[in-house]
Protein backbone atom coordinates (compact mmCIF):
# COMPACT_ATOMS: atom_id res chain seq x y z
CA UNK A 1 0.00 0.00 0.00
CA UNK A 2 2.84 2.37 0.77
CA UNK A 3 5.78 0.78 -0.99
CA UNK A 4 4.59 0.60 -4.60
CA UNK A 5 2.46 3.70 -4.54
CA UNK A 6 4.19 6.23 -6.84
CA UNK A 7 1.96 9.03 -5.58
CA UNK A 8 3.69 9.01 -2.18
CA UNK A 9 6.69 11.06 -3.16
CA UNK A 10 6.62 13.16 -0.01
CA UNK A 11 7.50 10.12 2.20
CA UNK A 12 11.02 8.78 2.47
CA UNK A 13 11.83 5.07 2.33
CA UNK A 14 12.33 4.92 6.09
CA UNK A 15 8.95 6.57 6.70
CA UNK A 16 7.28 4.03 4.37
CA UNK A 17 8.96 1.16 6.22
CA UNK A 18 7.87 2.62 9.56
CA UNK A 19 4.28 2.87 8.33
CA UNK A 20 4.41 -0.75 7.13
CA UNK A 21 5.69 -1.94 10.52
CA UNK A 22 3.05 0.09 12.38
CA UNK A 23 0.33 -1.31 10.13
CA UNK A 24 1.53 -4.89 10.75
CA UNK A 25 1.72 -4.34 14.51
CA UNK A 26 -1.77 -2.81 14.62
CA UNK A 27 -3.35 -5.70 12.65
CA UNK A 28 -1.51 -8.23 14.78
CA UNK A 29 -2.67 -6.52 18.00
CA UNK A 30 -6.29 -6.35 16.84
CA UNK A 31 -6.25 -10.03 15.85
CA UNK A 32 -4.61 -10.99 19.13
CA UNK A 33 -7.15 -9.13 21.27
CA UNK A 34 -10.08 -10.52 19.29
CA UNK A 35 -8.85 -14.11 19.51
CA UNK A 36 -7.57 -14.00 23.07
CA UNK A 37 -10.93 -14.90 24.74
CA UNK A 38 -11.25 -17.85 22.37
CA UNK A 39 -7.76 -19.10 23.18
CA UNK A 40 -8.32 -18.76 26.91
CA UNK A 41 -11.47 -20.89 26.76
CA UNK A 42 -9.95 -23.55 24.57
CA UNK A 43 -9.06 -26.32 27.00
CA UNK A 44 -8.34 -29.97 26.47
CA UNK A 45 -10.27 -32.11 28.92
CA UNK A 46 -9.21 -35.73 29.18
CA UNK A 47 -11.73 -38.08 30.74
CA UNK A 48 -11.51 -41.79 31.25
CA UNK A 49 -14.07 -43.75 29.25
CA UNK A 50 -17.10 -44.85 31.24
CA UNK A 51 -17.87 -48.56 31.36
CA UNK A 52 -21.44 -49.29 32.41
CA UNK A 53 -22.00 -52.71 34.00
CA UNK A 54 -25.66 -53.68 34.40
CA UNK A 55 -26.59 -56.67 36.54
CA UNK A 56 -29.94 -58.45 36.26
CA UNK A 57 -31.58 -58.48 39.69
CA UNK A 58 -34.53 -60.71 38.85
CA UNK A 59 -35.31 -63.99 40.54
CA UNK A 60 -34.91 -65.93 37.31
CA UNK A 61 -31.13 -65.64 37.62
CA UNK A 62 -31.05 -67.84 40.72
CA UNK A 63 -33.90 -70.14 39.73
CA UNK A 64 -31.42 -72.84 38.71
CA UNK A 65 -30.72 -75.85 40.91
CA UNK A 66 -27.42 -74.54 42.26
CA UNK A 67 -28.22 -70.88 42.94
CA UNK A 68 -25.36 -70.35 45.40
CA UNK A 69 -22.84 -71.24 42.72
CA UNK A 70 -24.50 -68.77 40.32
CA UNK A 71 -24.38 -65.98 42.94
CA UNK A 72 -20.72 -66.66 43.73
CA UNK A 73 -19.87 -66.71 40.00
CA UNK A 74 -21.63 -63.36 39.49
CA UNK A 75 -19.72 -61.83 42.43
CA UNK A 76 -16.44 -63.25 41.06
CA UNK A 77 -17.14 -61.71 37.63
CA UNK A 78 -18.01 -58.36 39.27
CA UNK A 79 -14.72 -58.32 41.14
CA UNK A 80 -12.79 -59.38 38.06
CA UNK A 81 -14.32 -56.55 35.99
CA UNK A 82 -13.62 -54.00 38.73
CA UNK A 83 -9.99 -55.06 39.07
CA UNK A 84 -9.46 -55.42 35.32
CA UNK A 85 -10.58 -51.93 34.46
CA UNK A 86 -8.18 -50.31 36.89
CA UNK A 87 -7.38 -46.62 36.57
CA UNK A 88 -7.97 -46.39 32.83
CA UNK A 89 -11.76 -46.58 33.00
CA UNK A 90 -14.58 -45.34 35.21
CA UNK A 91 -16.92 -48.18 36.19
CA UNK A 92 -20.60 -47.42 36.82
CA UNK A 93 -22.77 -50.28 38.12
CA UNK A 94 -26.53 -50.61 37.66
CA UNK A 95 -28.97 -53.23 38.82
CA UNK A 96 -32.12 -53.75 36.83
CA UNK A 97 -35.29 -55.71 37.19
CA UNK A 98 -38.65 -54.01 37.31
CA UNK A 99 -36.76 -50.73 37.86
CA UNK A 100 -33.22 -49.66 37.04
CA UNK A 101 -31.18 -48.42 39.98
CA UNK A 102 -27.61 -47.13 40.15
CA UNK A 103 -25.36 -49.25 42.30
CA UNK A 104 -24.42 -52.87 42.16
CA UNK A 105 -26.27 -54.44 45.07
CA UNK A 106 -27.89 -57.61 43.78
CA UNK A 107 -30.31 -59.55 45.91
CA UNK A 108 -32.25 -61.26 43.09
CA UNK A 109 -35.70 -60.57 44.54
CA UNK A 110 -37.35 -58.69 41.67
CA UNK A 111 -40.04 -60.45 39.70
CA UNK A 112 -39.48 -59.07 36.20
CA UNK A 113 -36.66 -57.93 33.91
CA UNK A 114 -37.04 -54.72 31.92
CA UNK A 115 -34.13 -54.39 29.53
CA UNK A 116 -35.72 -51.49 27.64
CA UNK A 117 -35.92 -49.39 30.82
CA UNK A 118 -32.26 -50.18 31.49
CA UNK A 119 -31.18 -48.97 28.05
CA UNK A 120 -33.32 -45.84 28.37
CA UNK A 121 -31.92 -45.06 31.84
CA UNK A 122 -28.33 -45.47 30.68
CA UNK A 123 -28.98 -43.23 27.67
CA UNK A 124 -30.61 -40.56 29.87
CA UNK A 125 -28.11 -40.68 32.75
CA UNK A 126 -25.00 -40.70 30.58
CA UNK A 127 -26.09 -38.40 27.76
CA UNK A 128 -23.13 -36.75 26.04
CA UNK A 129 -20.55 -38.66 28.10
CA UNK A 130 -17.69 -40.83 26.90
CA UNK A 131 -19.18 -44.33 27.22
CA UNK A 132 -16.62 -46.93 26.25
CA UNK A 133 -18.73 -50.05 26.78
CA UNK A 134 -21.97 -51.34 28.23
CA UNK A 135 -21.80 -54.76 29.88
CA UNK A 136 -25.19 -56.38 30.50
CA UNK A 137 -25.11 -59.49 32.67
CA UNK A 138 -28.43 -61.24 32.71
CA UNK A 139 -30.29 -64.31 31.58
CA UNK A 140 -31.74 -62.59 28.51
CA UNK A 141 -35.34 -63.13 29.55
CA UNK A 142 -37.23 -59.88 29.24
CA UNK A 143 -40.82 -60.00 30.39
CA UNK A 144 -41.55 -56.31 30.74
CA UNK A 145 -41.02 -53.36 28.42
CA UNK A 146 -40.08 -53.22 24.77
CA UNK A 147 -37.83 -55.57 22.85
CA UNK A 148 -34.26 -54.50 23.73
CA UNK A 149 -32.96 -55.40 20.27
CA UNK A 150 -35.09 -52.63 18.78
CA UNK A 151 -33.82 -50.07 21.32
CA UNK A 152 -30.10 -50.74 21.06
CA UNK A 153 -29.71 -48.87 17.72
Amino acid sequence: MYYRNRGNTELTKNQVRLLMVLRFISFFAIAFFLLSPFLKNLKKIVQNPIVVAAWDNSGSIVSEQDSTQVVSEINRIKNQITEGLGKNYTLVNYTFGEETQPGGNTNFNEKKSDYSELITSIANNHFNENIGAVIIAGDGIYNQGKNPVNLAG
Side-chain angles (χ1 to χ4, degrees), residues 104-138:
N105 301 329
T106 51
N107 51 15
F108 307 108
N109 61 355
E110 297 197 28
K111 303 296 181 199
K112 298 178 182 178
S113 296
D114 191 353
Y115 283 79
S116 64
E117 212 252 296
L118 168 70
I119 294 171
T120 304
S121 294
I122 291 172
N124 290 340
N125 292 342
H126 300 286
F127 177 74
N128 208 14
E129 290 183 1
N130 185 15
I131 295 181
V134 176
I135 302 169
I136 300 177

Side-chain angles (χ1 to χ4, degrees), residues 24 29 38 77 87 110 113 118 135 143:
F24 174 77
F38 175 72
I77 292 172
K87 296 178 183 176
E110 297 197 28
S113 296
L118 168 70
I135 302 169
N143 47 16

